[in-house]
Amino acid sequence: MGAAGPAGGVNKVVIVVMVCLGMFIGCSWCQDNGNAEAAVYIVTLKQAPATRSNAEVKVKDQHFGSASPSRMNRLNRTSNVSRSDRGYGSYISRVHDTLLRKALRGEKYLKLYSYHYLINGFAVLVTPQQAGKLSGRQEVSNVVLDFSVRTATTHTPQFLGLPQGAWAKEGGSETAGEGIVIGFIDTGIDPTHPSFSDTTSENSYPVPQHFTGICEVTPDFPSGSCNRKLVGARHFAASAITRGIFNASQDYASPFDGDGHGTHTASVAAGNHGVPVVVAGHHFGNASGMAPRAHIAVYKALYKSFGGFAADVVAAIDQAAQDGVDIISLSITPNRRPPGIATFFNPIDMALLSAFKAGIFVIQAAGNTGPSPKSIFSFSPWIFTVGAAAHDRIYSNSILLGNNVTISGVGLAPGTNNTMCTLVSALDALSDSSAGNDMYVGECQDSTNFNQDLVQGNLLICSYSIRFVLGLSTIKQAMETAKNLSAAGVVFYMDPFVIGFQLNPIPLSMPGIIIPTPEDSKVLLRYYNSSSERDGTTKKIVKFGAVACISGGIKANFSYLAPKIMFYSARGPDPEDTFLDDADILKPNLVAPGNFIWAAWSSRGTDSIEFQGENFAMMSGTSMAAPHIAGLAALIKQKYPTFSPSALGSALSTTASQLDKNQAPIMAQRAYANPELNQSPATPFDMGSGFVNATAALDPGLIFDISYDEYASFLCGINGSAPIFLNYTGQSCGVCAINATDLNLPSITMSKLNQSQTVQRLATNIGANETYSVGWFAPYGVTLKVSPTHFSLASGERQVLNVSFTAQINSTAASFGRIGIFGHLGHVVNIPVSVIVKISYNTTSDTNFLQ
């Protein structure tokens, strides 16, 4: 197989590991009985990495030219064209090798990666005793055990107002996002999908000159897979290979996406505009990414069969930064909260801090572990964390029973054209009595079990059990059974043991419906049984009297009760440590569309059985929300090429909306079971600053910027963090430590307000000269004052805002407020305020006011 070439660090090691795969997996030393304790460790050194300065990156970002022939050749050749630090990377790799030889003289080990761009370190397979030897070396700062990670659209551009708003401001969909490279750390990509073609427009479409990545060439990812749209593709699996769990035939030892997740997320952010969405023979409109002219670079570090590991993810982050991506999108979260004195100190978050330092905007999915408080799995303030909300498009169908009862359901299926058809249960249409011995026969997985004469021309009733959720039974197979029996359609009822499970709309190639709740399923079955005549002795039905009509579910409907926060979207407050102490940091940062999202699907994608073989799939999760923000950030970066990562996050946050389409407060689902019946107004711990407003984010008026040094001072302010910070960064903590409340974030979060506290925010005017007034409403039990209440700024000028809090009650219940800054030119800047614990010596009533 081919692989990325030998130009240093990560790629050189990947080649060695992959070439030795057959020999290494069977090696008894690595994971067999004799040394089962051998594991992968991530080792960082004290010597500085090769990260470039922000200034250099910004200068190069502003000069895009035409792609030369040699540039296009680079997209598919197997040698790396690295940044100017390539020699330094090779040197660092040799330093790592020398250190390992000296520390582990004569002992067996396997170095998996050399990290040199964002962090100076390596991943190595060793025993705990060997890890101890490495930890004791003077050159070594930190040794951390590897850990696992997991994966957490046709209408959303319209719902977000892009065609008439943000796209129009950028020159339309033909140019939206051009010159910006988004790096995706995910399950790979299907390069054959039309969403990633570079031939959709006759306009010039050069590869950005600041991007220097390459495209791996393998049998699964042949030469020509990359183009001016898909400008880079690599895969990282060394840590997984050492565990003997990598299945090359299923997981693909290449950037190719055998799962579907990565293809889906990449197209949400930057898929081409106007690609027809055809699924199960039905047309559902035309798809577009948020930034349809942005460029895509893929760093595959997640796999269908096992998820992924931190060592591979860190290698992917390091390479993406070295290649020159502008934005990193991670639709992944750790499987557990990082141990130690703070959740922020883990290899992935610290690598992303270095990416922030290099000028890269990092977006991460919040996780699908909601709706419980503190369920968030994206922790650090330099990471922009995105939760999931429903948008206004819904697909629903219904079944009208012969007794005039209508039951709602799901299913992307045609209807029966207002024709009443006889209902026949699979359990009453068995071909012989022996089939009844199969307890799952009602799931309609084998047509030979049934009497075609009873089913032909009728609606076949099948059960939907937990086996469908686990993939042991499939909707597709049941539909095949119905077709073989010449049924008019299929009706699925929900097994009573499937409680609180929410179904995505599933494509059905013939009339059909899935009744999604056990309660409504009982209504169907009661009507069916009461309308049927059975033989008193055999109990077989002698007359099928139940009839029904299915209405189609292909046409979308639209709701004003959107957006709303989905039950699965992970919630704050942000846990600072494994003891779940609250951090003074708002998480999530924002919410975006994440429910029922149409996007591209891999031709060999297996993540969703019902969409296997399709070109598009409808998925839900914070994984779908994060790439919406990645694409929108590309539009902002295109307009403001010198914006820092914090400036990008500020523009998105301060312009977010707290109201739905009906101008009512955004609601949040509060329960996994029956989420529509368990809703209340969303708080900042549900939605962060609110729901993204793409058009307003392109003209925020004011921004709140933060430097790397401020984040370093914040980390140094955590009790006992100095040696850990030194281990990860090679930097010593100075005397200037600050609290999280003093970070110049576009939000204020206080885990504990002990009587009174004052914090400051520094606003920078990036627009025209403007006069602002300040208003606010305070959290319950707190008095709040902001000064000054009026100020004027010329373009580029700054204003310090002093925000004073005083606790009026003793309470441990979180309460919420908001600061609004209103410009005379129409800019509105929102700052959410959250106070959890309040300690006061008096109980004077709240004295909030709104100006």
Side-chain angles (χ1 to χ4, degrees):
M1 58 173 285
V10 170
N11 295 304
K12 185 174 183 179
V13 178
V14 169
I15 292 175
V16 173
V17 173
M18 299 308 295
V19 169
C20 297
L21 176 61
M23 174 185 67
F24 183 68
I25 293 299
C27 170
S28 62
W29 172 82
C30 55
Q31 293 289 318
D32 237 7
N33 297 333
N35 272 301
E37 57 185 2
V40 176
Y41 290 82
I42 300 172
V43 180
T44 53
L45 306 188
K46 294 175 182 177
Q47 186 176 351
T51 311
R52 290 189 169 199
S53 67
N54 258 346
E56 184 178 358
V57 174
K58 288 178 181 177
V59 170
K60 299 201 78 172
D61 280 351
Q62 298 178 57
H63 299 283
F64 302 131
S66 300
S68 66
S70 62
R71 173 68 187 181
M72 295 307 300
N73 291 340
R74 182 187 54 73
L75 290 172
N76 286 296
R77 74 172 186 257
T78 56
S79 62
N80 183 18
V81 178
S82 183
R83 293 187 171 193
S84 59
D85 51 49
R86 180 174 68 179
Y88 181 79
S90 299
Y91 163 74
I92 287 292
S93 184
R94 292 194 300 271
V95 169
H96 297 165
D97 293 337
T98 300
L99 169 62
L100 284 165
R101 285 195 299 269
K102 288 182 178 179
L104 307 176
R105 292 180 182 275
E107 299 180 22
K108 294 181 179 179
Y109 62 87
L110 182 70
K111 188 183 76 169
L112 308 182
Y113 297 110
S114 275
Y115 312 125
H116 69 268
Y117 190 72
L118 293 178
I119 61 174
N120 177 7
F122 52 86
V124 62
L125 180 68
V126 290
T127 66
Q129 292 78 14
Q130 291 174 313
K133 291 180 181 180
L134 289 170
S135 182
R137 295 287 300 189
Q138 183 179 0
E139 310 97 310
V140 172
S141 289
N142 204 24
V143 178
V144 178
L145 184 66
D146 194 14
F147 56 89
S148 61
V149 297
R150 60 190 172 193
T151 56
T153 151
T154 54
H155 175 65
T156 47
Q158 285 72 29
F159 182 60
L160 295 171
L162 297 182
Q164 294 77 37
W167 285 353
K169 290 187 177 183
E170 296 294 316
S173 62
E174 280 287 297
T175 59
E178 192 166 303
I180 306 300
V181 181
I182 306 175
F184 295 89
I185 299 174
D186 214 300
T187 65
I189 196 167
D190 182 348
T192 66
H193 199 284
S195 290
F196 312 123
S197 169
D198 66 351
T199 60
T200 58
S201 172
E202 295 181 357
N203 294 344
S204 174
Y205 193 27
V207 176
Q209 290 184 353
H210 69 277
F211 182 76
T212 60
I214 61 97
C215 192
E216 287 184 17
V217 176
T218 74
D220 302 314
F221 212 82
S223 178
S225 294
C226 287
N227 53 37
R228 294 172 298 168
K229 178 72 172 179
L230 176 57
V231 295
R234 304 170 183 258
H235 84 287
F236 303 85
S239 185
I241 290 170
T242 65
R243 291 166 165 80
I245 61 174
F246 187 88
N247 184 337
S249 62
Q250 178 180 347
D251 296 314
Y252 298 101
S254 77
F256 188 85
D257 183 10
D259 179 281
H261 189 273
T263 299
H264 198 276
T265 57
S267 71
V268 168
N272 285 328
H273 178 69
V275 181
V277 179
V278 178
V279 176
H282 311 305
H283 186 262
F284 292 97
N286 295 324
S288 176
M290 300 300 102
R293 291 286 280 183
H295 307 268
I296 294 169
V298 169
Y299 302 86
K300 179 180 173 181
L302 292 167
Y303 298 83
K304 169 63 178 174
S305 62
F306 56 86
F309 296 95
D312 295 327
V313 172
V314 171
I317 295 169
D318 192 69
Q319 189 62 61
Q322 182 180 347
D323 289 347
V325 303
D326 300 289
I327 296 165
I328 289 177
S329 178
L330 298 100
S331 288
I332 62 174
T333 57
N335 280 324
R336 58 177 175 83
R337 290 185 181 89
I341 65 170
T343 53
F344 321 119
F345 288 116
N346 67 82
I348 293 177
D349 283 33
M350 294 307 291
L352 293 174
L353 176 61
S354 294
F356 172 94
K357 184 179 182 181
I360 300 169
F361 185 51
V362 178
I363 299 124
Q364 185 176 28
N368 299 330
T369 47
S372 300
K374 303 187 186 182
S375 54
I376 200 85
F377 268 85
S378 175
F379 313 107
S380 298
W382 51 87
I383 300 171
F384 200 81
T385 305
V386 185
H391 56 92
D392 63 344
R393 183 193 60 204
I394 55 176
Y395 291 95
S396 63
N397 56 0
S398 61
I399 182 169
L400 175 63
L401 306 180
N403 59 359
N404 287 323
V405 173
T406 299
I407 301 174
S408 296
V410 298
L412 301 171
T416 56
N417 297 319
N418 298 317
T419 301
M420 283 288 185
C421 301
T422 300
L423 289 165
V424 176
S425 171
L427 298 176
D428 294 318
L430 301 179
S431 57
D432 56 64
S433 58
S434 63
N437 296 328
D438 180 359
M439 63 184 298
Y440 306 116
V441 68
E443 297 173 5
C444 305
Q445 298 297 292
D446 185 353
S447 60
T448 62
N449 288 330
F450 306 104
N451 185 337
Q452 183 171 359
D453 293 335
L454 294 176
V455 177
Q456 185 169 356
N458 299 323
L459 293 175
L460 178 63
I461 300 177
C462 306
S463 65
Y464 187 101
S465 75
I466 192 66
R467 288 167 53 83
F468 284 82
V469 181
L470 300 174
L472 302 175
S473 296
T474 69
I475 295 291
K476 276 193 172 183
Q477 190 55 47
M479 300 303 291
E480 191 65 26
T481 295
K483 287 179 183 178
N484 291 339
L485 299 173
S486 302
V490 184
V491 179
F492 292 93
Y493 67 89
M494 190 65 66
D495 186 287
F497 294 103
V498 183
I499 300 173
F501 181 72
Q502 185 184 58
L503 285 169
N504 281 340
I506 295 171
L508 308 174
S509 56
M510 64 190 303
I513 185 173
I514 305 170
I515 299 174
T517 68
E519 293 76 18
D520 285 340
S521 297
K522 290 176 184 177
V523 173
L524 168 71
L525 295 177
R526 278 198 297 267
Y527 164 69
Y528 173 79
N529 288 322
S530 66
S531 302
S532 303
E533 295 183 15
R534 295 183 182 271
D535 182 275
T537 303
T538 66
K539 303 302 181 182
K540 288 186 177 182
I541 291 182
V542 295
K543 182 180 179 181
F544 293 93
V547 294
C549 169
I550 298 175
S551 65
I554 295 175
K555 186 177 180 181
N557 299 307
F558 298 90
S559 168
Y560 281 100
L561 300 177
K564 61 184 169 188
I565 313 305
M566 297 308 299
F567 66 91
Y568 53 77
S569 186
R571 311 297 166 92
D574 187 12
E576 186 176 53
D577 50 40
T578 52
F579 299 106
L580 298 185
D581 293 328
D582 298 319
D584 294 325
I585 294 164
L586 180 61
K587 292 292 177 178
N589 294 85
L590 201 69
V591 293
N595 207 53
F596 298 165
I597 304 299
W598 279 120
W601 197 244
S602 174
S603 57
R604 287 177 254 174
T606 58
D607 187 43
S608 176
I609 294 173
E610 310 308 338
F611 288 98
Q612 276 188 322
E614 300 288 356
N615 233 15
F616 283 84
M618 178 180 285
M619 305 292 286
S620 296
T622 57
S623 284
M624 285 66 246
H628 277 86
I629 298 302
L632 298 176
L635 301 181
I636 303 172
K637 184 72 173 176
Q638 182 184 19
K639 181 176 181 181
Y640 302 103
T642 61
F643 258 21
S644 70
S646 292
L648 289 172
S650 175
L652 288 160
S653 298
T654 60
T655 57
S657 173
Q658 298 80 47
L659 303 176
D660 65 16
K661 284 181 61 178
N662 211 28
Q663 295 304 299
I666 292 174
M667 302 296 282
Q669 296 177 340
R670 301 291 179 192
Y672 182 80
N674 300 315
E676 291 295 331
L677 302 179
N678 294 276
Q679 300 184 102
S680 62
T683 74
F685 291 160
D686 303 314
M687 64 177 179
S689 294
F691 184 81
V692 64
N693 183 333
T695 302
L698 282 173
D699 185 20
L702 302 177
I703 60 166
F704 299 90
D705 210 352
I706 305 178
S707 68
Y708 168 83
D709 289 341
E710 288 177 80
Y711 282 132
S713 296
F714 151 67
L715 291 173
C716 287
I718 298 172
N719 189 31
S721 67
I724 302 173
F725 181 76
L726 175 64
N727 288 346
Y728 273 112
T729 66
Q731 297 175 244
S732 298
C733 286
V735 295
C736 227
I738 62 174
N739 296 321
T741 51
D742 295 318
L743 289 171
N744 199 40
L745 296 168
S747 60
I748 300 174
T749 304
M750 288 188 175
S751 59
K752 180 184 290 186
L753 173 59
N754 190 351
Q755 298 184 63
S756 64
Q757 185 175 345
T758 298
V759 300
Q760 292 184 333
R761 291 296 182 265
L762 178 62
T764 302
N765 181 18
I766 64 161
N769 299 354
E770 192 163 5
T771 298
Y772 286 91
S773 61
V774 184
W776 61 88
F777 68 89
Y780 175 74
V782 177
T783 57
L784 172 62
K785 182 178 180 180
V786 183
S787 64
T789 57
H790 297 84
F791 59 89
S792 296
L793 292 178
S795 180
E797 287 188 340
R798 300 178 178 184
Q799 175 66 51
V800 173
L801 298 174
N802 296 289
V803 186
S804 299
F805 297 82
T806 302
Q808 295 296 307
I809 62 173
N810 296 314
S811 174
T812 58
S815 54
F816 307 95
R818 191 166 295 274
I819 299 170
I821 308 173
F822 308 94
H824 82 278
L825 297 180
H827 293 111
V828 178
V829 179
N830 278 296
I831 302 174
V833 177
S834 310
V835 181
I836 304 176
V837 176
K838 294 165 279 287
I839 301 173
S840 172
Y841 289 114
N842 63 68
T843 56
T844 305
S845 62
D846 180 48
T847 57
N848 305 354
F849 70 93
L850 177 65
Q851 181 171 319

